[in-house]
Amino acid sequence: MSVLPGSFAVLVATGLAAVLFAPFVAAEHRRHGELRVGVALLRFAVLLYAVALACYVLLPFPGSPACYEPQWQPFAAFRSTAGLEQFACNIALFVPLGALLRRGPAAAALVGGAVSVVVELTQLTGMWFLLPCPHRVFDVDDVLANTAGAALGGVFGPLLRRVPATARDRPAEPRPVSAPRRLLGMSCDLLLLWWLGVACARGAEVVLWLTGAEPDAWWEASALWFAPAVVLLVAMLLSGGSSLGQHAVCLRARAPTRPTAAALLRWASGIGGFAAAQGMCTAVLGEADATLGVLWCAVHACGVMHTRDHRGITGLVAGLEVIDARRRQRAPTAARST
């Protein structure tokens, strides 16, 4: 069994997790009042396994389709060492499925067997008739091994129930503005900057293609960094100085005076300054500076963790106060902005 589909699956699952992270964090805070770390880890495990299974079924795509006859005889794999190794690999492939279901061996075997049948039919029908003939071997031993693997995983399923997945009661009640919560919001802001950069870059490519213009380094810097930073600034100003990452973790920025000026200062010393610095590196040097990015994030993270009330560097610069968004206006300040 090749490791290339697994490596590709890790990359794809990590990318999808990065795209879905901010919406997931926002949903968790609104439904449960906080991010349940155990649930987040389990969801990522499910995502990773689903992508890995799809990759092992579909990849690599056949260059010139070769036709394979199905193997209908049960336990034919036991006749050779290679067959036994393949049988064992197919058992191991479905153990995570049975464990992640957390429903016991019987239910895991039923679901695992059904999934395995769908997988084998996909191979037997040439990806559901997209190819002229079966591109891989339909093997009844694979179904048996996968079902056994899922049942074995079901034995370990109850262990996953011990993963913390509960939240405190009353999700609408305010929570303390802690350093981890602030860092989580900052991480969401960075991911949003990345999303917007990718989207703007693809949009710029379409514009350049339609106009026939030649791209240059400033085009790339504007699409990847400058334009996304401006979008985040507009969102911050429209929301009264709160970043989208703060909204995701149910925080709200509040300026004692001159809220617009405070929001501009916060943006310039935070995500806006970061984007501007990386944009200049992209335009002048041809690519973003990873070292600068790591140092910038590390300094701001240290500012959150080691300043009073976790106000951070941007809080000191802008003078913005940050409170729990579920707290009433008359409530005392919980912390200052990062």
Side-chain angles (χ1 to χ4, degrees), residues 2 20 31 56 62 95 161 184 232 246 285 321 324 330:
S2 174
L20 298 172
R31 294 175 183 173
Y56 274 110
V95 169
R161 296 176 185 173
L184 183 60
L232 293 179
Q246 286 181 329
L285 303 177
E321 297 177 340
D324 191 291
R330 63 174 179 272

Side-chain angles (χ1 to χ4, degrees), residues 6-337:
S7 302
F8 182 73
V10 172
L11 294 176
V12 173
T14 303
L16 288 174
V19 170
L20 298 172
F21 184 72
F24 176 76
V25 169
E28 281 286 291
H29 277 80
R30 277 148 186 79
R31 294 175 183 173
H32 305 284
E34 58 191 5
L35 176 65
R36 298 172 298 167
V37 178
V39 171
L41 293 175
L42 288 175
R43 296 288 173 82
F44 179 73
V46 170
L47 175 64
L48 177 59
Y49 180 76
V51 174
L53 185 61
C55 288
Y56 274 110
V57 173
L58 301 176
L59 300 180
F61 293 112
S64 56
C67 299
Y68 296 94
E69 293 295 326
Q71 197 291 110
W72 297 100
Q73 185 176 359
F75 304 111
F78 285 47
R79 298 174 182 174
S80 66
T81 303
L84 284 173
E85 292 176 353
Q86 183 68 23
F87 195 88
C89 287
N90 279 307
I91 290 177
L93 182 62
F94 270 59
V95 169
L97 174 62
L100 290 170
L101 287 172
R102 296 182 290 172
R103 290 293 184 270
L110 182 62
V111 174
V115 172
S116 182
V117 168
V118 172
V119 168
E120 294 301 313
L121 288 177
T122 301
Q123 297 176 161
L124 179 65
T125 58
M127 295 187 184
W128 299 100
F129 310 106
L130 292 177
L131 300 175
C133 60
H135 68 296
R136 291 187 183 179
V137 177
F138 173 97
D139 195 337
V140 69
D141 281 346
D142 290 352
V143 176
L144 297 175
N146 294 157
T147 304
L152 180 60
V155 174
F156 300 102
L159 296 177
L160 293 182
R161 296 176 185 173
R162 299 183 180 181
V163 176
T166 58
R168 289 175 286 181
D169 295 334
R170 300 179 182 180
E173 287 189 352
R175 278 11 181 218
V177 185
S178 61
R181 188 174 170 194
R182 301 298 304 282
L183 293 174
L184 183 60
M186 292 165 62
S187 300
C188 290
D189 281 326
L190 286 173
L191 287 173
L192 288 168
L193 180 68
W194 170 66
W195 290 2
L196 291 170
V198 172
C200 290
R202 300 292 82 79
E205 289 176 359
V206 173
V207 172
L208 291 171
W209 178 75
L210 291 175
T211 60
E214 289 295 328
D216 58 20
W218 287 102
W219 260 97
E220 183 180 1
S222 298
L224 288 175
W225 300 105
F226 300 146
V230 171
V231 172
L232 293 179
L233 172 61
V234 172
M236 186 182 297
L237 293 174
L238 291 176
S239 61
S242 301
S243 69
L244 295 178
Q246 286 181 329
H247 282 294
V249 296
C250 291
L251 294 175
R252 177 168 56 85
R254 183 173 62 181
T257 59
R258 301 170 61 189
T260 301
L264 287 170
L265 285 172
R266 179 183 186 275
W267 174 84
S269 58
I271 197 73
F274 173 79
Q278 294 288 26
M280 291 300 297
C281 289
T282 301
V284 176
L285 303 177
E287 61 181 3
D289 191 321
T291 302
L292 174 62
V294 171
L295 288 176
W296 187 288
C297 294
V299 168
H300 280 271
C302 289
V304 169
M305 293 185 291
H306 298 292
T307 55
R308 184 170 58 88
D309 298 328
H310 310 299
R311 66 186 65 189
I313 294 173
T314 55
L316 294 173
V317 172
L320 276 172
E321 297 177 340
V322 173
I323 64 174
D324 191 291
R326 295 159 291 199
R327 191 181 298 276
R328 295 178 181 273
Q329 289 281 353
R330 63 174 179 272
T333 299
R336 292 182 180 271
S337 174

